């Protein structure tokens, strides 16, 4: 048993989509969420810079006693996960777009993957597509402006729907019946994407549930679960200002 917190890290608001899965499924666990904020978005930053930011963030969470860290950022995972695991001696969970299940479930043999530029160029993503995408057309698309819209709490604005439609509509027109949300910011746009999809039979999937299951398996493997009578502490921190930290907290708690 270990009542220390689980750390969850992202460039900004996006990882809250993963945080919510953990908070729902693991009610006894304390959670510290670090949303960088100061350097968001990461999508087009050089890989070495992302690696530096990820190391700084994980070091901060470990300094606050975290027993495990979830890198709830696809871009940071692509650029830094191997480095983080080699640097720190606690379990570190990364993300990858849900390409494997998407390729398994598609009927049209066309899958769309929405992600950041850096994630789509990542070695893990490319190897996953090569391994599981045989016979499947995988359409890659950068969600230009998606992260910024979520960071501004503008998911329901007409301008955001226009942005989403410009990216998603061509994917559907090419026959995709599964769309993978390959950035943790993008699940906050799920309702908008669903409106664009309309009545067409297109599944929208992300990796949040799979990450939560991986966290549970590691908690058991390393005997790190909190006691059933633990009173969990929920904390939100950032490298930005207090106003940003409060916005993180409010978004996480649905305020």
């Amino acid at each position: 048993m270990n009542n220390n917190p689980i750390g969850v890290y992202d460039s900004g608001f996006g990882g809250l989509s993963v945080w919510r899965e953990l908070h729902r499924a693991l009610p006894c666990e304390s959670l510290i969420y670090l949303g960088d904020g100061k350097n968001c978005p990461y999508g087009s930053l050089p890989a070495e810079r992302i690696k530096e930011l990820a190391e700084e963030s994980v070091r901060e969470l470990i300094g606050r006693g975290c027993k495990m860290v979830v890198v709830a950022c696809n871009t940071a995972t692509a650029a830094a996960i191997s480095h983080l695991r080699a640097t720190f001696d606690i379990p570190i969970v990364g993300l990858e777009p849900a390409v494997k299940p998407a390729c398994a479930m598609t009927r049209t043999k066309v899958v769309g993957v929405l992600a950041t530029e850096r994630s789509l160029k990542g070695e893990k993503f490319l190897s996953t597509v090569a391994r599981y995408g045989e016979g499947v057309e995988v359409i890659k698309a950068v969600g230009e402006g998606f992260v910024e819209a979520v960071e501004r709490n503008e998911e329901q604005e007409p301008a955001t729907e226009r942005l989403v439609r410009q990216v998603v509509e061509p994917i559907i027109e090419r026959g995709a019946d599964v769309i993978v949300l390959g950035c943790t910011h993008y699940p906050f746009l799920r309702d908008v994407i669903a409106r664009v999809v309309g009545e067409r039979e297109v599944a929208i999937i992300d990796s949040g549930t799979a990450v939560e299951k991986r966290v549970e398996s590691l908690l058991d493997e390393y005997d790190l679960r909190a006691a059933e009578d633990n009173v969990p502490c929920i904390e939100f921190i950032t490298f930005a200002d207090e106003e940003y930290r409060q916005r993180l907290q409010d978004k996480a708690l649905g305020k």
Side-chain angles (χ1 to χ4, degrees):
M1 292 294 177
N2 186 321
N3 289 339
N4 283 13
I6 298 170
V8 184
Y9 154 61
D10 181 50
S11 63
F13 282 22
L16 292 172
S17 61
V18 174
W19 180 93
R20 287 176 176 177
E21 291 286 342
L22 297 173
H23 185 53
R24 174 192 58 78
L26 301 168
C28 296
E29 297 290 344
S30 295
L31 299 169
I32 300 179
Y33 184 90
L34 193 166
D36 180 338
K38 182 179 178 181
N39 301 286
C40 185
Y42 283 7
S44 57
L45 292 179
E48 282 303 313
R49 178 57 178 153
I50 297 170
K51 190 183 296 185
E52 291 171 2
L53 294 170
E55 180 176 337
E56 178 184 4
S57 298
V58 173
R59 198 174 296 280
E60 174 71 22
L61 289 168
I62 291 174
R64 291 171 178 259
C66 289
K67 61 189 178 185
M68 176 190 298
V69 171
V70 179
V71 181
C73 175
N74 295 84
T75 303
T77 296
I81 196 69
S82 296
H83 171 71
L84 296 173
R85 287 171 175 158
T87 303
F88 302 108
D89 62 358
I90 65 168
I92 298 179
V93 179
L95 274 72
E96 60 182 84
V99 172
K100 179 182 177 182
C103 290
M105 69 190 294
T106 179
R107 302 178 310 280
T108 63
K109 300 301 181 184
V110 183
V111 166
V113 180
L114 302 177
T116 66
E117 178 184 357
R118 179 62 57 191
S119 292
L120 293 173
K121 292 180 178 178
E123 181 181 343
K124 180 65 172 175
F125 171 75
L126 295 174
S127 65
T128 300
V129 171
R131 183 175 182 183
Y132 297 107
E134 184 176 355
V136 176
E137 181 185 3
V138 178
I139 303 170
K140 297 174 286 186
V142 175
E144 292 286 356
F146 289 16
V147 170
E148 291 85 348
V150 173
E151 290 287 315
R152 294 191 299 264
N153 287 323
E154 294 179 354
E155 293 94 321
Q156 301 304 323
E157 293 295 323
T160 300
E161 183 165 335
R162 287 194 293 271
L163 274 177
V164 171
R165 189 171 296 277
Q166 288 171 4
V167 176
V168 173
E169 193 68 49
I171 295 173
I172 298 173
E173 289 176 353
R174 287 174 62 180
D177 64 346
V178 184
I179 293 178
V180 177
L181 306 183
C183 168
T184 52
H185 280 78
Y186 295 0
F188 287 103
L189 297 168
R190 182 183 289 271
D191 289 347
V192 183
I193 295 169
R195 288 202 297 271
V196 172
V197 169
E199 297 300 317
R200 292 169 289 193
E201 294 186 4
V202 178
I204 304 167
I205 65 174
D206 63 65
S207 53
T209 301
V211 170
E212 185 276 315
K213 295 300 183 187
R214 179 60 177 159
V215 168
E216 285 205 59
S217 71
L218 288 172
L219 289 174
D220 291 334
E221 180 179 344
Y222 292 98
D223 194 24
L224 292 175
R225 281 190 184 264
E228 291 185 4
D229 61 353
N230 181 50
V231 178
C233 175
I234 305 300
E235 186 177 0
F236 299 89
I237 60 176
T238 182
F239 294 135
D241 56 18
E242 171 57 23
E243 186 267 342
Y244 189 87
R245 191 207 67 78
Q246 187 63 52
R247 287 175 58 219
L248 281 173
Q249 181 171 311
D250 289 348
K251 198 171 190 76
L253 302 178
K255 296 181 180 179

